[in-house]
């Protein structure tokens, strides 16, 4: 990975102040020399970002993690969106069978140590695939609150440039995009799921709840760790990893 090249584009994109489709056109321009991928959960709002990406280049690599704990509806929705947008390079990442067997033999690690579970099932397979890229595009938005409340459209995070074309978009912007572009909805949105991750850690939200209130509800956890600057991947001990 070319550090000087990434620094150049970080400054350039920040200076231009682009967002949304204009930012994606700049980032996905074929002459940057950067390797770019999208990170997507195929969750409640994912169609909006994937629609914009597909308008620029439907062959852009899309990284998505199948933790083994997803809703069946999410797996079906992923297939529907791949077909709808003509996405030709969706990479479904899976955790190591060996690591899962060692760290989560009964499949209940999410109850006792959700950070460790996310590390094994999400962060590690995602990090391994992301290492091949210079730039990761995400669908994070400031209105989701918490650590996302100060999210910039472009920033450096570890070895990657992170590009968040929807950083400033609000709920109305997202809904407008769904209507104007006739985007397929995740089937669980109609059942009051507003942010959708693993089935065992995702709950319905009520009136007045934040959009991510149903994620790890009742636990002191708000992020899976894929995109946290201040959260270095946790190193599991040898007993947990079996290594
Ligand atoms: S969201 Fe829950 S089940 Fe999924 S990886 Fe994280 S802790 Fe495990």
């Amino acid at each position: 990975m070319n550090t000087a090249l990434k620094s150049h584009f970080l400054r350039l994109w920040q200076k231009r102040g682009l967002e949304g489709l204009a930012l994606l056109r700049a980032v996905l321009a074929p002459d940057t020399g950067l390797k770019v991928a999208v990170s997507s959960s195929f969750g409640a709002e994912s169609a909006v970002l994937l629609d914009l990406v597909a308008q620029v280049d439907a062959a852009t690599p899309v990284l998505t993690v199948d933790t083994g704990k997803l809703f069946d509806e999410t797996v079906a929705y992923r297939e529907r969106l791949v077909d709808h947008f003509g996405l030709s390079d969706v990479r479904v990442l899976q955790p190591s069978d060996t690591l899962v067997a060692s760290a989560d033999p009964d499949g209940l690690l999410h109850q006792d140590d959700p950070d460790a579970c996310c590390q094994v099932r999400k962060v590690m397979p995602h990090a391994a695939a992301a290492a091949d890229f210079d730039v990761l595009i995400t669908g994070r938005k400031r209105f989701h609150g918490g650590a996302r409340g100060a999210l910039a459209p472009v920033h450096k995070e570890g070895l990657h440039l992170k590009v968040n074309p929807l950083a400033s978009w609000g709920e109305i912007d997202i809904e407008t995009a769904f209507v104007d572009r006739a985007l397929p909805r995740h089937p669980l949105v109609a059942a009051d799921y507003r942010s959708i991750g693993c089935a065992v850690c995702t709950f319905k939200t009520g009136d007045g709840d934040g959009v991510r209130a149903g994620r790890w509800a009742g636990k002191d956890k708000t992020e899976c760790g894929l995109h946290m600057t201040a959260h270095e991947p946790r190193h599991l001990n040898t007993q947990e990893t079996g290594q």
Side-chain angles (χ1 to χ4, degrees):
M1 294 195 186
N2 189 325
T3 303
L5 192 62
K6 284 188 283 189
S7 297
H8 164 73
F9 279 105
L10 174 63
R11 288 193 298 272
L12 177 66
W13 294 335
Q14 287 177 331
K15 184 177 175 185
R16 294 179 68 187
L18 303 174
E19 295 187 57
L21 190 57
L23 177 56
L24 282 173
R25 290 195 194 286
V27 172
L28 293 172
D31 58 354
T32 65
L34 295 170
K35 294 184 70 177
V36 183
V38 179
S39 181
S40 178
S41 65
F42 289 84
E45 298 172 347
S46 297
V48 175
L49 177 65
L50 294 172
D51 175 47
L52 296 178
V53 169
Q55 289 180 51
V56 181
D57 183 1
T60 304
V62 178
L63 309 182
T64 187
V65 184
D66 188 336
T67 61
K69 299 282 189 184
L70 298 181
F71 289 99
D72 290 343
E73 290 88 341
T74 296
V75 176
Y77 186 57
R78 182 180 73 217
E79 293 171 1
R80 185 176 179 201
L81 290 189
V82 167
D83 185 53
H84 182 86
F85 295 124
L87 302 172
S88 60
D89 191 2
V90 174
R91 306 181 188 189
V92 180
L93 315 171
Q94 294 178 319
S96 154
D97 289 341
T98 304
L99 199 51
V100 169
S102 173
D104 191 12
D106 57 6
L108 297 176
L109 185 61
H110 64 278
Q111 294 179 358
D112 299 330
D113 193 343
D115 284 341
C117 185
C118 277
Q119 186 70 21
V120 169
R121 292 182 179 273
K122 282 189 182 180
V123 176
M124 294 177 75
H126 186 270
D132 289 338
F133 297 93
D134 304 303
V135 182
L136 290 179
I137 299 168
T138 90
R140 292 174 296 171
K141 306 155 198 84
R142 288 197 283 272
F143 88 85
H144 283 187
R148 304 180 183 206
L151 189 67
V154 183
H155 63 103
K156 191 167 184 299
E157 193 171 285
L159 295 174
H160 292 102
L161 298 186
K162 292 287 180 77
V163 173
N164 314 298
L166 309 181
S168 71
W169 287 38
E171 284 190 275
I172 292 176
D173 301 309
I174 298 298
E175 178 59 22
T176 299
F178 268 100
V179 173
D180 287 354
R181 300 282 299 167
L183 301 177
R185 310 260 187 180
H186 192 298
L188 292 178
V189 169
D192 295 331
Y193 291 90
R194 295 170 64 204
S195 176
I196 301 166
C198 291
V200 291
C201 296
T202 301
F203 303 90
K204 297 181 180 185
T205 50
D207 291 342
D209 286 340
V211 68
R212 289 176 61 81
R215 304 292 296 276
W216 304 283
K219 286 191 164 57
D220 183 23
K221 178 175 174 66
T222 58
E223 296 282 352
C224 62
L226 290 189
H227 304 294
M228 296 174 73
T229 46
H231 184 170
E232 289 300 316
R234 174 182 158 180
H235 296 287
L236 300 176
N237 64 36
T238 52
Q239 191 172 18
E240 286 173 314
T241 63
Q243 296 176 337

